[in-house]
Amino acid sequence: MDTFSSLLENTTLIKMLKLIAWILFIVFIISFVRKTLKKRIEDISIRYKAQKGVEIVGYVLIIFLVLMAFTVDSIKDYTIIIGLFTAGITFTLQELILSIAGSFYIFFVRVYKPGDRIEINNIKGDVIDIDSIYTTIMEMGEWVSSDNYSGRIVKISNAFVFKGPIKNYSMDFPFVWDELNILITYGSDAELAKTIMLNTATEFLSDYTEKSKTKWQQMVAHYYIEDATIEPTIAMNLTDNWVQLNLRYITDYKRRRNTKHTLFQHIEKAISNTNGKVTLASTTLQLLEVPPLNVNLKK
């Protein structure tokens, strides 16, 4: 009985119990509100942002309660305790703190958001989730070619936003420039080949070109950047073996592989209908037949 009474008189223990109770209560409220939002909000994007906002507010309240629990009567002792506590936490949990700071930086500065295609820490993929510690990415590339999913889900610490470049394929300007090389033989009608390539690209990519013009003008007005050509262009290069025609065009960042395939298909079909005026070039190796040998042996 005396032990129980002494525990009740221990103010530090009572404060710790109150703190734990409040933290559990806040965690319960966060979970309850997240489930309610999931049921009430149909729009995926709005629901995701609302749930993350509730989660961040809950973490801020928990941090505030922890700091208040260390409040003492003397301001001098309070500052000393906070200083030692902060130094120790910063040293031991610097990566965790940097990750949490990175999550705030990502949300408020809008470095990237769920649905964006990014490349960070040499990992490329689509962002499928951002929490207070990690960014979750559906990986692309590695053992598969072009912009295809590998099937792996990668979690990257949010601290990497402070440690290296972030390549965003969809922020502000959801289009990318790509190139396609067509090789033709010397003696082919180069002007006809260029006309075929430009007409095919202009016809097939007209929708992308029109949409990208407005976005690009917004980019030029917002950033210190030079204007660029949006329409498809052709550049010719002469080599020892063939004439190389380089087609530069703009396309949606998610349809780069499909766009190149379709352009190749249409251009190859158009070239095959030129009746030999344009011939595709390739590296060939010709093996010559050894001439017959007539050997006469004399005794």
Side-chain angles (χ1 to χ4, degrees), residues 14-218:
I14 293 174
K15 285 183 178 180
M16 292 298 297
L17 291 176
K18 287 182 178 179
L19 176 62
I20 293 174
W22 274 108
I23 291 176
L24 293 176
F25 177 73
I26 292 175
V27 171
F28 171 77
I29 292 296
I30 292 174
S31 178
F32 176 76
V33 174
R34 282 173 59 88
K35 290 180 180 179
T36 303
L37 293 174
K38 187 176 181 180
K39 295 179 180 178
R40 299 290 180 86
I41 302 177
E42 296 182 357
D43 188 277
I44 298 177
S45 178
I46 297 176
R47 182 175 65 207
Y48 177 84
K49 292 178 181 179
Q51 289 178 327
K52 288 301 177 182
V54 170
E55 185 178 337
I56 291 174
V57 171
Y59 289 150
V60 171
L61 287 176
I62 291 174
I63 294 173
F64 179 74
L65 287 175
V66 172
L67 293 177
M68 291 298 294
F70 284 94
T71 304
V72 293
D73 296 331
S74 172
I75 299 299
K76 181 179 179 181
D77 293 340
Y78 174 74
T79 55
I80 293 174
I81 293 174
I82 292 298
L84 293 175
F85 176 77
T86 304
I89 290 295
T90 303
F91 180 76
T92 57
L93 301 177
Q94 53 183 332
E95 189 69 23
L96 177 62
I97 294 173
L98 199 60
S99 296
I100 296 174
S103 67
F104 281 97
Y105 181 76
I106 292 169
F107 272 103
F108 290 107
V109 183
R110 296 183 64 82
V111 181
Y112 52 80
K113 62 184 184 300
D116 283 358
R117 180 164 296 179
I118 66 171
E119 183 175 344
I120 180 173
N121 195 29
N122 296 323
I123 297 175
K124 179 182 176 183
D126 290 344
V127 179
I128 58 177
D129 186 38
I130 305 171
D131 58 29
S132 56
I133 307 296
Y134 294 105
T135 292
T136 307
I137 294 177
M138 176 60 76
E139 185 190 48
M140 306 178 71
E142 290 296 329
W143 58 81
V144 294
S145 62
S146 191
D147 298 334
N148 293 318
Y149 290 140
S150 67
R152 296 192 303 190
I153 294 178
V154 183
K155 284 187 174 291
I156 301 177
S157 171
N158 292 333
F160 278 107
V161 298
F162 302 117
K163 297 180 179 181
I166 302 170
K167 301 176 183 179
N168 196 317
Y169 290 72
S170 51
M171 184 178 67
D172 294 337
F173 190 69
F175 300 94
V176 293
W177 276 274
D178 201 5
E179 294 182 345
L180 182 151
N181 291 320
I182 298 293
L183 310 177
I184 62 175
T185 60
Y186 283 101
S188 295
D189 191 339
E191 293 301 321
L192 177 58
K194 288 192 293 183
T195 301
I196 291 173
M197 293 174 66
L198 278 178
N199 290 343
T200 303
T202 302
E203 180 181 357
F204 180 69
L205 302 173
S206 58
D207 187 39
Y208 294 141
T209 303
E210 291 301 321
K211 291 181 179 178
S212 62
K213 283 182 180 179
T214 303
K215 289 287 186 180
W216 183 251
Q217 292 302 321
Q218 294 174 359

Side-chain angles (χ1 to χ4, degrees), residues 176-182 197 205 233-235 244-251 256 259-261 263-264 267:
V176 293
W177 276 274
D178 201 5
E179 294 182 345
L180 182 151
N181 291 320
I182 298 293
M197 293 174 66
L205 302 173
T233 58
I234 291 282
Q244 176 179 290
L245 300 178
N246 177 268
L247 174 65
R248 177 177 166 85
Y249 57 92
I250 199 166
T251 183
R256 189 169 66 92
T259 301
K260 179 173 287 189
H261 164 73
L263 285 175
F264 260 128
I267 291 173

